Amino acid sequence: MDYLEIEGGSPLCGEVCIQGSKNAALPILSAAVLNHGITVLKNCPKIIDVKNMLEILIGFGCKVNWEGDTLIIDATVMNSNQVAACYARQMRSSIMLLGSLLGRTGTATLPYPGGCVIGERPIDLHIEALRKMGAELEEKGEGLCACCKKPQSSRVCLPFPSVGATENVILLAVLAKGVTILNNAAREPEIEELCRFLSCMGAKIQGAGTSQITITGVETLHDVEFTIVSDRIVAGTYMLMTAAAGGRVILNNPPLQQLGAVYGALRCMGVHCKECGEHLLLWRTERMKGLKGIRTEPYPGFPTDLQSPLMAALALAEGESEIEETIFEARFKIVEELLRMGADICTEGQKAYIRGVRKLYGADLIAKELRGGAALVLAAAAAEGKSRILQYHYIERGYENIIRDLQSLGVMVKKNIG
Ligand code: EPZ
């Protein structure tokens, strides 16, 4: 069994360049299908989920090339709109192909999306919203058949500001006739990034980043060269790792405007954050303080994707802490792993109660999903002694090269092909 081996316990020291955003790149790759031409992407992260999405696009007949760190997608010709199940089932974001395939071809056949074990992750909001826009969707066995020859001008209101459902509405609306008004839209930065990308291709979108987004359909989109913003969750992971392990860390090119909730938590924990141009300097001079009243919320609230890394850091904070997870119903999977390291945590429903301990100890750990796996790496870097993290391929779904990043922060880490 392959595993990561981490010798923890020393304060971090060094700098890390923050990769392109996974959750911005994936809907942008789906949106590239809407342009019968060339899309050039810079700063697209080389992660497993991007690789899978590109395989799906190749299956449509798109040409895909990496030229160094630049990704070139030629979607001039598409001879299929069948989404390959072997790739789609590995990630949730394949569902975002629904809107772009309907927008480009008027039909789509795709398997139910895969993804992490953090919750049931239904797609009812996607289906309901696209039906309001004139799509006919039939749930068949393992997947969905959809048809929408003439998407209509519509007013859609999401019962919950779902990120993916917001993205699917936008993807279908950009080439639809007339105006689509989306209320209770997700406000995540990744929505703004998708709309910025689509606008660079000639789409007409107002209100990105707010709860009401208005899309005025256009005839066609055109070629684009676009640089993807850096990843706020990867940046937040290393910010919390600095909090947990101590030391002095510089993050290069983090998305500074998107980290408000993380800054707030770190300041309360006694971690210093200082912006220096495009860089962020972090250090801690005394023991972290515990945090109460933290609850995950849609943006701009504290991000659910950083809940596990925060929990791992708070395991070492002075006093008691409390976290409430309000977005996903099964996102406390790392508790049993942290207990094995000597943490003192208990959960009751969607709430976790953490009593800080002086030390965590290295242990054999099992990653079960992407952000929980990253949280275990964080705990291992802060723990005394050696940890082995099995199933770390989950982490490679979202972190381009966590070994490279850890080594640049002075952490002793190696990959073992077991
Ligand atoms: C996106 O997932 C992200 N993934 C997730 O990041 C992130 O945690 C999530 O948004 C929330 O910010 C990508 O962007 C690829 P939602 P998404 O639709 O779109 C429920 C990571 O680690 N819901 O906003 O799937 C759902 O079950 C991943 O990078 C329905 O009930 O999130 C969840 O409880 C994990 N019906 C809540 O809404 C639906 O039709 C939020 O889901 C859709 C969602």
Side-chain angles (χ1 to χ4, degrees):
M1 172 81 89
D2 298 358
Y3 58 87
L4 282 186
E5 189 174 283
I6 294 175
E7 184 73 47
S10 309
L12 305 185
C13 180
E15 53 185 278
V16 64
C17 238
I18 303 300
Q19 70 183 59
S21 164
K22 162 177 105 67
N23 291 348
L26 293 168
I28 284 173
L29 291 176
S30 172
V33 156
L34 292 168
N35 169 30
H36 295 239
I38 309 280
T39 294
V40 177
L41 291 177
K42 295 184 181 300
N43 203 34
C44 185
K46 293 184 177 177
I47 53 179
I48 291 178
D49 277 14
V50 163
K51 182 181 160 302
N52 284 334
M53 187 64 97
L54 292 176
E55 290 294 344
I56 293 171
L57 267 52
I58 290 167
F60 294 157
C62 300
K63 294 192 184 68
V64 168
N65 280 303
W66 285 99
E67 285 181 11
D69 286 339
T70 300
L71 176 61
I72 299 156
I73 299 165
D74 181 348
T76 311
V77 175
M78 269 178 51
N79 46 38
S80 158
N81 64 1
Q82 300 284 327
V83 176
C86 59
Y87 300 113
R89 288 216 177 91
Q90 295 184 44
M91 54 187 188
R92 165 79 179 181
S93 44
S94 51
I95 189 66
M96 260 96 88
L97 289 156
L98 194 50
S100 54
L101 281 173
L102 289 176
R104 164 114 182 201
T105 68
T107 61
T109 308
L110 66 167
Y112 286 120
C116 295
V117 292
I118 57 177
E120 200 250 318
R121 307 192 81 179
I123 57 171
D124 55 322
L125 303 183
H126 296 249
I127 292 172
E128 213 177 294
L130 297 183
R131 278 185 176 145
K132 286 237 178 71
M133 298 172 72
E136 288 158 31
L137 297 111
E138 205 185 329
E139 300 197 54
K140 280 183 166 164
E142 288 303 295
L144 266 180
C145 275
C147 171
C148 186
K149 294 299 181 198
K150 279 199 177 22
Q152 297 140 15
S153 299
S154 34
R155 296 182 78 89
V156 180
C157 183
L158 292 175
F160 175 86
S162 154
V163 171
T166 298
E167 289 163 345
N168 258 329
V169 168
I170 293 167
L171 290 166
L172 178 55
V174 289
L175 293 176
K177 282 210 177 342
V179 178
T180 301
I181 298 176
L182 174 59
N183 286 308
N184 201 26
R187 296 166 53 196
E188 271 67 9
E190 292 75 30
I191 303 294
E192 285 190 83
E193 195 67 358
L194 173 63
C195 293
R196 188 166 71 89
F197 171 74
L198 287 164
S199 304
C200 291
M201 291 163 85
K204 288 194 172 58
I205 306 172
Q206 275 132 13
T210 73
S211 303
Q212 184 179 78
I213 300 179
T214 303
I215 306 109
T216 305
V218 295
E219 285 292 309
T220 58
L221 297 170
H222 54 70
D223 292 3
V224 65
E225 178 165 323
F226 187 83
T227 300
I228 294 172
V229 71
S230 55
D231 193 309
R232 64 189 172 106
I233 303 302
V234 170
T237 304
Y238 293 122
M239 292 165 78
L240 288 162
M241 194 181 290
T242 308
R248 279 175 73 83
V249 163
I250 297 173
L251 301 189
N252 294 326
N253 184 37
L256 294 168
Q257 310 312 321
Q258 301 175 13
L259 294 164
V262 188
Y263 273 146
L266 286 171
R267 286 212 175 93
C268 295
M269 292 159 76
V271 179
H272 303 282
C273 309
K274 186 173 184 311
E275 293 184 10
C276 317
E278 287 182 351
H279 310 300
L280 181 63
L281 177 58
L282 297 126
W283 71 99
R284 173 163 68 76
T285 49
E286 65 261 347
R287 189 180 177 198
M288 278 181 291
K289 299 178 191 68
L291 268 186
K292 290 210 169 176
I294 279 275
R295 60 199 307 262
T296 62
E297 289 170 330
Y299 194 86
F302 191 88
T304 176
D305 293 347
L306 286 175
Q307 180 261 106
S308 292
L310 176 66
M311 179 189 285
L314 289 173
L316 283 165
E318 186 180 0
E320 299 192 342
S321 300
E322 274 173 34
I323 301 179
E324 184 180 5
E325 172 56 58
T326 72
I327 306 290
F328 290 106
E329 62 272 25
R331 211 161 197 179
F332 287 153
K333 293 197 179 309
I334 64 162
V335 170
E336 59 179 304
E337 306 299 312
L338 294 176
L339 293 177
R340 210 175 299 147
M341 301 178 83
D344 180 353
I345 303 172
C346 65
T347 62
E348 215 173 284
Q350 291 302 99
K351 281 197 169 181
Y353 302 91
I354 304 146
R355 267 203 208 89
V357 293
R358 277 278 174 195
K359 277 188 189 304
L360 291 178
Y361 298 92
D364 282 355
L365 307 164
I366 302 174
K368 297 187 183 90
E369 38 88 17
L370 164 55
R371 304 304 175 181
L376 295 180
V377 169
L378 182 156
E384 192 171 279
K386 192 175 285 183
S387 296
R388 298 193 309 178
I389 300 176
L390 282 68
Q391 304 187 149
Y392 65 82
H393 61 276
Y394 284 113
I395 304 170
E396 293 175 322
R397 285 191 51 204
Y399 293 76
E400 199 172 50
N401 189 334
I402 199 155
I403 291 176
R404 170 200 67 196
D405 293 349
L406 288 173
Q407 288 171 342
S408 68
L409 296 174
V411 177
M412 285 165 63
V413 54
K414 63 181 182 181
K415 193 186 273 192
N416 278 288
I417 315 294

